[in-house]
Amino acid sequence: MKKYIPMILIMFIACSLNTSAQDLISLKTCYENALDNHPRAGEKQLQQQIWQLKQDNLNSAWYPKIEAGASALYNSNVADLSMSLGMAPLPGIENYLPSMSHDQYKLTIDINQLIYDGGGRQGQAPPGRCSP
């Protein structure tokens, strides 16, 4: 029995040195630690920048848009009305009709401005205006 006393005493001292009171952690602290240690926690600033860019894109729909277009067309055959109108009761009318050109050109410029979107962009007011 005497040889067990020092062994029990050593075990008791070793166990008492390692034991300490546990810290109390609230549920709020757990949530905060989970948000801080989440793998995407560092991307919070990037997410804010992405959101701001999306807002800017939605607001840019209110700005006027200018579009330009051009086309060229060459017709190998064109309608000749002088033969058809030569048989008309008005003599000489075919001389007053110009012949049609074989080539055609077209240039267009379109300007579009969104005035009312019918509530398509909920919460998006035009720039410089207050939200309803």
Side-chain angles (χ1 to χ4, degrees):
M1 179 77 181
K2 285 187 175 187
K3 67 181 190 180
Y4 292 119
I5 291 180
M7 187 186 282
I8 293 173
L9 188 61
I10 291 173
M11 287 177 65
F12 180 71
I13 291 172
C15 289
S16 67
L17 291 177
N18 289 335
T19 58
S20 62
Q22 295 179 352
D23 294 332
L24 293 177
I25 299 175
S26 67
L27 185 59
K28 181 180 178 182
T29 307
C30 288
Y31 278 130
E32 290 170 356
N33 288 339
L35 290 174
D36 291 341
N37 296 323
H38 192 272
R40 292 189 178 169
E43 297 177 4
K44 190 172 189 178
Q45 184 178 8
L46 291 174
Q47 293 293 333
Q48 287 285 45
Q49 290 175 349
I50 290 171
W51 181 82
Q52 185 62 42
L53 289 173
K54 285 183 179 181
Q55 292 296 104
D56 293 344
N57 284 341
L58 287 173
N59 285 336
S60 69
W62 294 98
Y63 300 139
K65 293 175 182 56
I66 299 174
E67 299 174 2
S71 66
L73 178 67
Y74 180 80
N75 296 316
S76 59
N77 290 330
V78 292
D80 189 12
L81 296 177
S82 62
M83 298 180 104
S84 301
L85 292 175
M87 293 182 266
L90 300 171
I93 194 162
E94 66 273 356
N95 297 333
Y96 293 108
L97 293 175
S99 63
M100 293 180 64
S101 175
H102 285 272
D103 48 341
Q104 296 177 359
Y105 305 100
K106 180 170 78 171
L107 294 172
T108 60
I109 296 176
D110 297 327
I111 300 174
N112 296 319
Q113 169 70 48
L114 181 65
I115 296 173
Y116 178 69
D117 68 347
R121 289 172 183 81
Q122 290 289 338
Q124 297 297 321
R129 298 185 190 168
C130 297
S131 292

